Amino acid sequence: MVMRSIWMALLILRIMGAVISEGDDMKEEVEEDLRDYMNAKDYCSIDEFKNMDYYLFCDTQLHEGAGGFRMKPCIISSETQTIEEAKELYQEFREKLPLESEPDEEGEENNVTYVSPDCKWVITNKWNEYKTISTQTLFYENEKVKETVGELPFTVEPILIVKKGDVYEEMGEESREKLLGLKEGSFTEGYRGSEVLNGEGTLLAGITDDYGLFTIRRIEDGSILWSYPLFGIREEVQRIRKGMPDEEWRPCMEVVQFEGNEQEGWVILRGGMVSSFFMITYPSGEVTYMGEYLYSACFSPDGKYVAYSSIEYDTMYDMSWEEKKTIVPGIYVLEVETGKTAYIYWDPSKNPEEDFMEYRNFMWIEKEGFDEYMSDMRNKE
């Protein structure tokens, strides 16, 4: 496969360097690349998913120490063989927006943080005053709709796009106020971890009761639609992690993805410092263990693909050497029906210009909508 050839080429270059330098650091890197090559051999390249009806938007946040963080987005298609190609595709997409092209005096620039699945709505964000001021800009079909400015450490409320029937639109002010009131109330009632909206913006999933209960609430009146006790999952995490003390993993219990309506749906939960992932379907309450190291796991709208990242900045330091040897940093796309997994190499820690990765956030864009958007913008030029 293409991936095997790439890893072998990298391995040969590293070995040549080790022979010349005979340094311990280089030898260690050779051993790492050899391990990576052996692990990567079972993966396919993304071009084997030519029937995939989506592009994958990947928003990566890079850790910059005292300097805070920096965003490094990219867009992956079945034709992007390397992460550099994916970065170039993102830049081409970004340049179609009416934004300033160069960073400001602080080195900050507007970056895309959200694209609706139909590729009609786009949200950008720019940090100013050394990442204390956030400016969000909303575009519809490449036209600026609104701009909001928020100051940290005060809450910066995100612009929210929700699905109404077959179209997407900005969440109405009334629903937004109810959501904000519900979130404020949930904190006083003991909620922990993340809270995630469904696509229609009508339900809110969260974790409460000292990480012991998962609930789905209606935005309209705050009532509980469905709840599920998490003690069984907590015990399973402890078993998987070989008896890891409860307090070590509990703070990481969170909702990763939520899809559903009043009748049925599912949620992905993450639990553990070296995280284990579970899917819970409702109203049946069926629990499926998905595996480990599926950070930022995100199912495509048709449920045929799952994108995920293998590692996060804050978990690297909690892993043993044996655990680290089993992980190949990068981006993965799993085809659910066949089990085939495409792998795209991206290890920011080996790139001095990118430093360490904090997290990734994936979004799926319909291929038809993306191609139409790019074609329209090219025609306008």
Side-chain angles (χ1 to χ4, degrees), residues 4 21 44 194 214 248 250 266 290 324:
R4 294 191 187 185
S21 67
C44 66
S194 62
F214 167 76
E248 288 188 22
R250 200 172 61 186
W266 52 267
M290 297 182 64
K324 289 179 182 179

Side-chain angles (χ1 to χ4, degrees), residues 278-301:
F278 299 82
M279 173 183 283
I280 306 177
T281 59
Y282 71 90
S284 68
E286 180 181 356
V287 178
T288 303
Y289 174 59
M290 297 182 64
E292 295 184 329
Y293 313 119
L294 307 176
Y295 297 110
S296 304
C298 183
F299 280 80
S300 61

